[in-house]
């Protein structure tokens, strides 16, 4: 069985080309993208949060799975990188782009909980974890990737990943599954 997605978002080639031209190499892997699309499709009229827009590949995957009544909020620190995503995906009324620090955004957000939270950057994963988990609705999903050793990891990062995984596994309010697949994924579902 081939585990690569058979359907790719239409914007993916343009996003990849522009990300490559900008020197951005931290985009979501296709298998993770396929999982994002499936999780978004499982939430009709879903509220979705992406922490770390990057150049928009994860955003494109999420949008490809969302129904017309769903909404995605995506937050990115680097406005130049996020501009790639906005140029390709900004006409879609289902997405709101927020430029700014994800940690600051998490601290200040006072809206309704989300059905799916994809934390693809430090805030919401290695910092502000409790706040990100607080924003997951009952029955909702929290997803993180890049948990297997990656080229360019800073010294000591593996220990940070192990601490994060242990902390998530100990939580009584979430049921976690680790997937040693793609770039290394953890999916946690808030107990209803």
């Amino acid at each position: 069985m081939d585990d690569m997605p058979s359907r790719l978002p239409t914007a993916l080639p343009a996003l990849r080309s522009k990300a490559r031209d900008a020197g951005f190499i931290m985009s979501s892997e296709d298998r993770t993208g396929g999982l994002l699309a499936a999780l978004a499709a499982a939430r009709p009229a879903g509220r979705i949060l992406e922490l770390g827009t990057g150049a928009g590949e994860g955003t494109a995957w999420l949008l490809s799975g969302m129904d017309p009544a769903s909404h995605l909020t995506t937050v990115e620190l680097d406005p130049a990188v996020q501009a790639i995503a906005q140029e390709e995906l900004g006409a879609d009324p289902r997405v709101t782009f927020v430029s700014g620090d994800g940690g600051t955004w998490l601290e200040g957000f006072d809206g309704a909980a989300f059905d799916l939270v994809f934390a693809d950057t430090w805030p919401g994963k290695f910092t502000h974890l409790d706040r990100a988990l607080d924003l997951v609705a009952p029955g909702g999903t929290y997803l993180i990737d890049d948990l297997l050793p990656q080229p360019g990891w800073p010294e000591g990062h593996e220990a940070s990943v192990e601490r994060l995984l242990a902390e998530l596994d100990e939580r009584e309010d979430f049921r976690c599954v680790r997937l040693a697949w793609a770039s290394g994924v953890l999916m946690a579902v808030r107990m209803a």
Side-chain angles (χ1 to χ4, degrees):
M1 177 178 74
D2 181 359
D3 64 352
M4 294 302 286
S6 59
R7 291 191 300 185
L8 303 178
T10 56
L12 216 51
L15 289 168
R16 285 184 174 158
S17 175
K18 291 177 181 183
R20 197 171 32 256
D21 291 348
F24 185 79
I25 59 168
M26 300 298 294
S27 292
S28 293
E29 198 266 348
D30 281 351
R31 289 174 292 183
T32 302
L35 179 59
L36 289 170
L39 290 171
R43 298 294 184 170
R47 290 178 40 78
I48 301 170
L49 172 63
E50 178 184 37
L51 298 166
T53 312
E57 288 189 39
T59 310
W61 282 106
L62 288 163
L63 289 168
S64 75
M66 290 167 46
D67 72 359
S70 293
H71 188 267
L72 168 64
T73 299
T74 183
V75 183
E76 172 59 43
L77 178 63
D78 185 340
V81 172
Q82 190 182 54
I84 296 168
Q86 287 178 297
E87 182 179 327
E88 293 299 319
L89 305 169
D92 190 321
R94 300 172 301 162
V95 62
T96 299
F97 291 93
V98 177
S99 283
D101 178 74
T104 302
W105 186 88
L106 284 167
E107 291 168 1
F109 181 75
D110 64 353
F114 294 89
D115 300 302
L116 171 60
V117 174
F118 176 44
D120 195 23
T121 188
W122 284 73
K125 188 179 345 184
F126 297 108
T127 69
H128 303 85
L129 175 64
D130 287 337
R131 181 63 183 136
L133 294 175
D134 286 345
L135 294 179
V136 178
T141 303
Y142 170 80
L143 187 77
I144 52 177
D145 65 348
D146 300 330
L147 300 173
L148 293 174
Q150 306 289 314
W153 267 12
E155 186 175 327
H157 187 64
E158 190 166 355
S160 297
V161 169
E162 290 303 318
R163 278 192 300 276
L164 171 66
L165 294 174
E167 184 175 345
L168 287 165
D169 283 341
E170 291 173 6
R171 292 191 65 114
E172 297 287 329
D173 52 343
F174 281 85
R175 183 65 184 242
C176 298
V177 61
R178 296 181 188 191
L179 303 168
W181 164 86
S183 64
V185 175
L186 180 135
M187 184 169 62
V189 176
R190 181 182 277 289
M191 306 294 281

